[in-house]
Every structure is written in structure tokens, then in C-alpha cells.
């Protein structure tokens, strides 16, 4: 049976009658010269880390880290820079945060991104310019693997992996031989952290893989790094691709159209997802891996705006698909006031003929969703003008709960005003919906503002989120801290 994709939302709380509910405190507090994140309250020693988290892709610069931080790990990149990573872990629907200590990473092209996660592993990508002699420089990428549970219950680790684009010495050799290094489409895709995923299985074994599909006669190219092999280099394979349920595939058209949006771990497979087409499955521990392609349902395939309106995820070993489709059948970045939309959920199953099929198991119409958000149920009337003016809210970025297949998370931007772009303070909410019961479980204000001058880091965060909101990453590495440290104090943010 295949995994399921769902999104989980927070529960609604009502103040006792006759008492006004207090406004949630801002996550930032004034300090000299700016603001810092509000420290989390210290929890009892028996309190555990959350079983899974919604990891915010934005990376905060921080450090040095406290020695007793149970999530902190230190490593080095290919330049020899010391790099530290830690997390602020919160139970959904509150997002969890990534903090980076990279003192040498101050260049304009020095960047750090979270790529993927599975079990106790989180994969990061670092980008930096490397000198190739003379006046030539090249944007190279390092991949670092964070493991929450070290061997024998040791502290978390952060290890540099073999390069997927070639080592610095190999790049220099290519420069000397050819006089230049061409900027390929695959290099541009690495800038966006596409095509690469991580998969773990029992013990310390893992596989990190990149699937390169170009519009050429070469066909798919798979680069695989497995911990079970002694080689420090990635294996290059040229797997064939076939339809998962038999039949024919126009390979030339497929290679031209394919454009992966994300990579999902599922059992022993890594799954490359193109939200406009479907999913490519690949068994990463097969010595001769093959690619198997499964199309999305007909009413989803071809109408797509990437992760803004669709998501695939795995819940308790079951794969699910969630899609927000306007009633006119076309997925757009925003919804017009005149048209409604439908949230559909599908589960991947095996039928009697041993074929993989998408089974629709939940449908939620926008009108019913708005009825959940009626003013006397959740928010004051003047905070949500769309309720009285019939404007349709900008509900986007579905996410699937890892531990409850009936729950999905959605992002409500600008308090629902479709005529305004961006994601503002006090106007972006995370909603948790139980699709089986058709109820709103929770709501959570994503960012809240308070008086005080923002720090440069917070200004950068606000600007990034306003123009470049990205999907959250569902990850369950947090539960492995509980296995390693059964009694602990939930992490408090470092003092500014």
C-alpha cells in the first residue's frame, strides 16, 4: 500500500464567556538595537519533542550555539568553513525553524538551503563561489547530511557528502582543459534545490540521489550516493523509464515536458514529483534501479501551479495527493472573486490487478470552507473582509500531516484578500483541516508584529516571506531526539 498526503491545522480555542481572549504574543521581543525571537517557555523534563514538524525553509543566521543544545551539530564544507546547524522545534501547526552558524559565509553567493528530510536525516545544500584560477569563479554546491540520532545514541552529526557536480579539483581540471565550464540547465535546477532527495532505511544506511532529465537523446541520468558503498563518489546510472501500469510512453515528449517540483521518500523508493504530470518511482537500494512513471488523476494532470496548489506526501506508509483546483478547471496563482474552488484528496492504492490507482477519498468545496471561517467561529468580522464582501481568500501551499492521513494544512494569505499580493505580518494564517470530518481543527497566525524596530535579520525574513513564500517541509527527525534523550528540556532559542 502506498503513502498518503495530508495537511494538518491548529485547533480553535474560544475564550470563556464574558472574558476577552488575549492576543497571541509576537514571536519577537524588543532588545537593544532590534528584536530577537521570544524565548520559548521551559517545559517539564518529561516533555518530549514533537513526533513531526513543519520545517520552515527560511534559514536564520545565528551562533555560536550553546553547548547543551540537543539539536546542534557542527561540520565543515569543502572550503573548510566551520558550519553549525540547530533547530527550534515546535509541534504543528506552528512552524519549526532552522538556525545556521556559518561565520565565513558572508559572500553574496554564499547560501544555505534545506533540501529534503527522511526519518532522522535532513539534507542541506550549501552554495558558494570557488576560484578556478585567473579571474574565473564558479558557483559550486556542497551537500551536508544532518543526522538527529548518531550511532550508539551519540549527539547529532553534520557530514559533508561527495559532490554531485564534481569536486573543486575536478572543476579546475575541466576549466584548464576546456577554458570554461558551461552553465547547464541542471546547474540552474540545483540553484533551486530541485531533483535531489534523501532516503534512510534500518540502521545508519542512507541514499542520496539526483535524477537528471534533460531534453536530449541521452535519457534520464541518475546520480546515487549510498552509505553502504565504500566509494566517496556518486554512482552514475542510466536507468530506463517505463509506465508503472504497463502500456506505452512517448519518451521524447515525456523528456521534453518533465520538470520535477519535489522529491518524496516512500518505502524503499525516492519519488520525483512533477505536479503537472505525475510521479517517477525509483528503488534506491536496487543495484540496477529502474524508473516507473505513474500519471496523476485526469482532473489534476496538466492543470498546475506547482507546490502552490498541490502536494504529495506520505502518512503511515500511505501516499496521498492534495490539489486545490478552481471550478473553472484551471489552477492559477490566485483565485478570482467570481470563482470558487475544490480541495480534493486522493490515496494511492493497489487494485485487484496489482496496478497502482488514485482513489479520491475527500472533497471540500470552497463555500463549505468559508462557512468554517464564519466570524463568530474564529475571527472578528473586521479582520476578515472577504466574509462580508464575498472575496475569495488566497488559500495555498497544502501540506500533509505525517501522522494523521485525514488532516491537511493550508496557508491563508493577506487575510484572504485576493487583490493584494504578498504575505504580511498579522495577515498570514496557517489552517488545519480534518478532511474526513470536514472541520477546522486549528488556526495559527504565521507571523505577528509588535512595536519596536526590527533587526536586519528580521527585515530580511519579512521581505523574503512577502515575495517568496515557500512550502513547508514535513519531517519527522524530531522524534529521534526522544529515542536518544527520553528526558530533556525542549530547546529554548539562544539568547541574542
Amino acid at each position: 500500500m502506498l503513502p498518503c498526503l495530508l495537511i494538518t491545522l491548529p485547533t480553535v480555542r474560544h475564550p470563556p464567556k464574558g472574558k476577552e481572549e488575549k492576543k497571541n504574543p509576537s514571536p519577537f521581543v524588543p532588545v537593544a538595537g532590534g528584536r530577537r525571537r521570544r524565548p520559548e517557555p521551559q517545559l517539564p523534563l518529561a516533555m518530549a519533542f514533537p513526533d513531526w514538524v513543519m520545517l520552515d525553509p527560511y534559514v536564520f543566521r545565528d551562533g555560536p550555539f550553546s553547548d547543551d543544545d540537543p539539536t546542534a551539530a557542527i561540520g565543515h564544507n569543502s572550503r573548510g568553513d566551520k558550519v553549525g546547524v540547530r533547530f527550534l522545534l515546535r509541534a504543528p501547526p506552528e512552524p519549526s525553524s532552522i538556525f545556521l552558524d556559518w561565520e565565513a559565509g558572508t559572500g553574496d553567493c554564499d547560501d544555505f538551503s534545506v533540501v529534503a528530510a527522511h526519518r532522522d536525516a535532513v539534507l542541506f545544500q550549501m552554495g558558494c563561489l570557488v576560484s578556478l584560477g585567473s579571474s574565473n569563479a564558479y558557483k559550486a554546491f556542497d551537500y551536508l547530511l544532518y543526522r538527529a540520532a548518531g550511532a550508539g545514541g551519540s549527539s547529532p552529526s553534520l557530514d559533508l557528502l561527495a559532490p554531485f557536480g564534481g569536486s573543486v579539483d575536478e572543476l579546475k581540471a575541466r576549466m584548464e582543459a576546456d577554458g570554461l565550464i558551461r552553465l547547464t540547465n541542471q546547474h540552474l535546477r540545483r540553484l533551486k534545490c530541485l531533483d535531489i532527495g534523501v532516503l534512510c532505511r534500518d540502521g545508519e544506511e542512507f541514499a542520496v540521489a539526483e535524477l537528471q532529465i534533460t531534453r536530449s537523446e541521452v535519457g534520464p541520468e541518475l546520480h546515487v550516493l549510498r552509505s553502504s558503498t565504500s566509494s566517496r563518489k556518486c554512482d552514475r546510472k542510466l536507468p530506463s523509464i517505463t509506465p508503472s501500469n504497463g502500456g506505452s510512453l512517448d519518451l521524447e515528449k515525456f523528456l521534453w515536458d518533465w520538470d520535477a517540483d519535489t522529491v518524496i521518500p516512500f518505502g524503499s523508493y525516492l519519488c520525483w514529483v512533477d505536479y503537472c504530470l505525475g510521479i517517477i518511482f525509483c528503488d534506491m537500494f536496487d543495484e540496477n534501479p529502474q524508473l516507473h512513471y505513474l500519471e496523476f488523476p485526469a482532473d489534476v494532470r496538466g492543470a498546475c501551479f506547482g507546490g502552490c496548489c498541490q502536494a504529495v506526501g506520505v502518512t503511515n506508509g500511505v501516499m496521498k495527493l492534495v490539489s486545490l483546483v478552481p471550478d473553472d478547471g484551471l489552477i492559477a496563482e490566485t483565485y478570482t472573486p467570481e470563482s470558487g474552488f475544490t480541495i480534493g484528496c486522493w490515496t494511492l492504492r493497489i487494485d485487484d490487478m496489482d496496478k497502482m490507482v488514485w482513489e479520491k477519498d475527500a472533497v471540500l468545496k470552497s463555500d463549505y470552507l468559508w462557512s468554517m471561517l464564519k466570524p463568530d467561529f474564529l475571527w472578528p468580522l473586521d479582520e476578515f473582509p472577504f466574509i462580508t464582501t464575498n472575496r475569495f481568500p488566497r488559500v495555498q501551499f497544502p501540506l500533509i500531516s505525517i501522522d494523521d492521513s485525514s488532516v491537511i494544512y493550508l496557508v491563508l494569505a493577506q487575510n484572504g484578500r485576493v487583490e493584494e499580493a504578498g504575505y504580511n505580518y498579522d495577515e498570514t494564517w496557517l489552517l488545519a483541516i480534518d478532511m474526513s470530518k470536514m472541520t477546522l481543527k486549528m488556526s495559527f497566525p504565521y507571523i505577528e508584529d509588535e512595536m519596536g524596530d526590527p533587526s536586519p535579520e528580521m527585515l530580511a525574513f519579512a521581505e523574503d516571506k512577502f515575495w517568496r513564500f515557500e512550502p513547508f517541509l514535513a519531517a519527522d527527525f524530531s522524534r529521534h531526539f526522544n529515542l536518544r534523550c527520553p528526558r530533556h528540556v525542549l530547546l529554548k532559542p539562544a539568547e541574542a
Side-chain angles (χ1 to χ4, degrees):
M1 184 167 296
L2 306 164
C4 289
L5 163 71
L6 283 167
I7 303 172
T8 315
L9 311 162
T11 347
V12 180
R13 295 171 301 146
H14 298 280
K17 290 186 177 180
K19 292 186 178 181
E20 184 178 352
E21 186 172 18
K22 294 182 179 178
K23 184 178 180 181
N24 293 332
S26 165
F28 308 108
V29 293
V31 295
R35 292 185 297 172
R36 62 170 169 79
R37 282 190 170 270
R38 182 184 300 276
E40 298 286 320
Q42 183 167 310
L43 300 179
L45 289 178
M47 181 63 69
F49 285 102
D51 282 341
W52 75 281
V53 295
M54 294 168 51
L55 203 55
D56 193 319
Y58 187 86
V59 178
F60 289 92
R61 290 297 183 110
D62 194 13
F65 301 153
S66 170
D67 292 337
D68 60 358
D69 188 328
T71 71
I74 304 296
H76 294 81
N77 66 5
S78 60
R79 293 195 309 195
D81 300 345
K82 182 179 178 181
V83 180
V85 173
R86 73 175 183 91
F87 300 90
L88 177 57
L89 302 174
R90 306 181 183 94
E94 291 190 60
S96 294
S97 301
I98 304 167
F99 294 85
L100 171 68
D101 181 13
W102 183 15
E103 187 175 354
T106 57
D108 292 338
C109 293
D110 291 341
D111 51 57
F112 189 88
S113 305
V114 61
V115 179
H118 186 228
R119 295 189 180 177
D120 74 322
V122 184
L123 181 64
F124 293 101
Q125 175 183 282
M126 299 188 75
C128 56
L129 285 181
V130 295
S131 174
L132 300 180
S134 302
S135 58
N136 296 307
Y138 184 77
K139 181 69 175 280
F141 299 106
D142 286 336
Y143 292 91
L144 291 93
L145 189 66
Y146 176 97
R147 303 298 294 268
S154 60
S155 299
S157 59
L158 186 66
D159 297 315
L160 176 65
L161 303 180
F164 280 86
S167 66
V168 174
D169 289 340
E170 290 170 336
L171 293 172
K172 287 181 177 179
R174 284 162 55 189
M175 173 65 75
E176 292 174 358
D178 302 335
L180 78 164
I181 297 179
R182 299 186 184 279
L183 190 62
T184 65
N185 178 65
Q186 192 62 27
H187 190 85
L188 295 175
R189 291 182 63 78
R190 286 186 187 132
L191 289 171
K192 300 180 180 180
C193 301
L194 301 171
D195 303 325
I196 297 180
V198 61
L199 182 73
C200 301
R201 68 176 179 179
D202 296 342
E204 296 290 304
E205 190 172 7
F206 69 86
V208 175
E210 175 188 59
L211 179 61
Q212 179 176 327
I213 294 182
T214 59
R215 297 163 182 172
S216 69
E217 298 178 357
V218 176
E221 185 172 311
L222 185 66
H223 305 145
V224 184
L225 177 66
R226 286 168 46 180
S227 59
S228 57
T229 62
S230 57
S231 172
R232 285 287 298 165
K233 291 187 176 182
C234 296
D235 292 331
R236 177 178 176 268
K237 300 178 182 293
L238 301 175
S240 61
I241 181 168
T242 58
S244 60
N245 291 329
S248 60
L249 178 67
D250 185 338
L251 186 59
E252 181 178 358
K253 184 178 187 306
F254 177 84
L255 295 178
W256 180 265
D257 292 340
W258 181 264
D259 190 7
D261 295 290
T262 188
V263 185
I264 303 294
F266 174 49
S268 64
Y269 295 87
L270 276 180
C271 305
W272 282 263
V273 181
D274 181 336
Y275 285 124
C276 292
L277 298 177
I279 303 176
I280 292 176
F281 296 82
C282 183
D283 189 338
M284 297 315 305
F285 298 103
D286 189 333
E287 292 299 327
N288 296 295
Q290 302 299 311
L291 306 179
H292 304 281
Y293 170 60
L294 177 68
E295 291 183 326
F296 278 148
D299 47 353
V300 172
R301 192 169 61 250
C304 130
F305 200 81
C308 176
C309 295
Q310 293 174 248
V312 171
V314 177
T315 305
N316 298 324
V318 178
M319 179 174 284
K320 290 196 70 85
L321 163 69
V322 172
S323 182
L324 282 65
V325 181
D327 291 344
D328 59 13
L330 299 175
I331 293 181
E333 184 175 6
T334 57
Y335 303 110
T336 64
E338 295 78 20
S339 65
F341 63 90
T342 299
I343 302 174
C345 295
W346 289 261
T347 299
L348 188 57
R349 303 195 186 280
I350 304 295
D351 67 8
D352 295 337
M353 304 296 292
D354 287 334
K355 293 185 176 181
M356 292 190 291
V357 295
W358 292 106
E359 180 181 287
K360 182 178 281 190
D361 49 25
V363 174
L364 178 61
K365 302 291 289 184
S366 55
D367 288 346
Y368 195 85
L369 175 62
W370 309 150
S371 71
M372 296 182 191
L373 309 182
K374 59 186 179 180
D376 60 347
F377 181 68
L378 185 57
W379 299 292
L381 182 61
D382 58 358
E383 290 189 17
F384 285 83
F386 71 83
I387 294 178
T388 56
T389 61
N390 294 320
R391 296 189 182 112
F392 283 86
R394 299 174 61 226
V395 178
Q396 299 173 341
F397 297 106
L399 179 72
I400 298 161
S401 168
I402 285 183
D403 62 2
D404 188 340
S405 63
S406 64
V407 178
I408 65 172
Y409 294 94
L410 300 171
V411 176
L412 176 67
Q414 299 296 70
N415 283 349
R417 297 190 299 275
V418 297
E419 71 277 9
E420 295 185 21
Y423 302 81
N424 274 334
Y425 285 122
D426 286 328
E427 295 187 337
T428 300
W429 295 74
L430 304 182
L431 308 177
I433 298 174
D434 189 323
M435 294 293 290
S436 64
K437 299 178 180 178
M438 296 297 171
T439 56
L440 178 70
K441 292 190 65 178
M442 266 183 253
S443 68
F444 180 77
Y446 177 49
I447 309 172
E448 284 196 306
D449 194 15
E450 274 188 357
M451 58 170 36
D453 296 327
S455 66
E457 176 72 2
M458 288 316 305
L459 286 173
F461 172 71
E463 181 177 0
D464 183 271
K465 285 299 175 180
F466 184 87
W467 293 113
R468 201 170 65 95
F469 201 98
E470 295 179 282
F472 297 105
L473 176 65
D476 61 354
F477 69 96
S478 52
R479 75 177 65 203
H480 293 271
F481 292 117
N482 297 329
L483 300 177
R484 183 172 60 86
C485 309
R487 292 180 63 81
H488 63 275
V489 176
L490 189 61
L491 175 64
K492 293 173 62 178
E495 296 297 321

